[in-house]
Amino acid sequence: MDTKIVPGLVKEQSLATLNPADSVMDAVLLMSERKIGAVIIVDDSARLSGIFTERDLVNRVAAKKLDPAKTPLADVMTANPDTLRPDDSAREALSLMSEHRYRHLPVVDGETVVGMVSIRDLFNVVKAGLEDEVRDREKFIFGSDYGVA
């Protein structure tokens, strides 16, 4: 269950990034188009500035009746978010996400954003690890693959 996050989960991700000056509407359209729940906000040097999530949209934009077309992401994003490193394990990521109630976390290698991990991604890693453990135990007990799918 200590599977490393990167490169496994983010190796072929196409990052969804916007600039802090872009509008909330830009983020909403990108999130809708890509069917994702968050976008990474980077500055002009491509360094992480923040993250904008569905929760930010609800709590910081819609609940305050702000105009998404006129509101810059800088005003409503989560600035300087917690991040994961490429060598963090799924267990470490889940612990951080559970403790702070995050559903998405950027993965940063030095100053370079290399991906984003969602709670769903991590659930799938942990689930696969548990299924492998069960399969290994049944193989040990019964002497062959016993039928765990």
Side-chain angles (χ1 to χ4, degrees):
M1 194 170 342
D2 284 325
T3 304
K4 300 300 177 192
I5 294 172
V6 174
L9 289 177
V10 296
K11 68 179 176 181
E12 295 186 23
Q13 278 187 357
S14 172
L15 290 178
T17 64
L18 291 171
N19 187 279
D22 290 329
S23 74
V24 168
M25 185 57 72
D26 293 327
V28 168
L29 293 173
L30 181 58
M31 291 162 67
S32 176
E33 175 186 310
R34 299 285 273 305
K35 295 176 178 36
I36 54 176
V39 293
I40 295 171
I41 312 303
V42 295
D43 65 17
D44 292 334
S45 299
R47 285 189 300 251
L48 181 66
S49 293
I51 185 172
F52 183 76
T53 69
E54 294 164 322
R55 283 185 181 171
D56 294 327
L57 177 62
V58 169
N59 297 319
R60 297 178 178 176
V61 180
K64 294 184 178 179
K65 300 180 182 175
L66 299 178
D67 182 347
K70 294 180 181 174
T71 304
L73 289 168
D75 292 353
V76 293
M77 70 183 185
T78 299
N80 303 310
D82 287 335
T83 61
L84 299 170
R85 295 179 316 266
D87 60 347
D88 285 338
S89 70
R91 185 179 308 224
E92 292 164 328
L94 280 172
S95 177
L96 180 63
M97 293 173 100
S98 176
E99 179 182 344
H100 297 286
R101 301 185 64 209
Y102 301 141
R103 289 188 281 181
H104 299 87
L105 280 174
V107 178
V108 179
D109 189 3
E111 292 191 10
T112 304
V113 180
V114 295
M116 180 151 33
V117 174
S118 73
I119 195 76
R120 183 178 306 151
D121 296 331
L122 294 170
F123 170 79
N124 288 332
V125 167
V126 171
K127 179 178 175 237
L130 291 172
E131 288 171 347
D132 288 345
E133 285 180 26
V134 169
R135 201 172 1 266
D136 290 345
R137 286 184 185 151
E138 288 183 348
K139 186 175 183 179
F140 175 77
I141 292 168
F142 298 109
S144 65
D145 287 325
Y146 184 69
V148 174

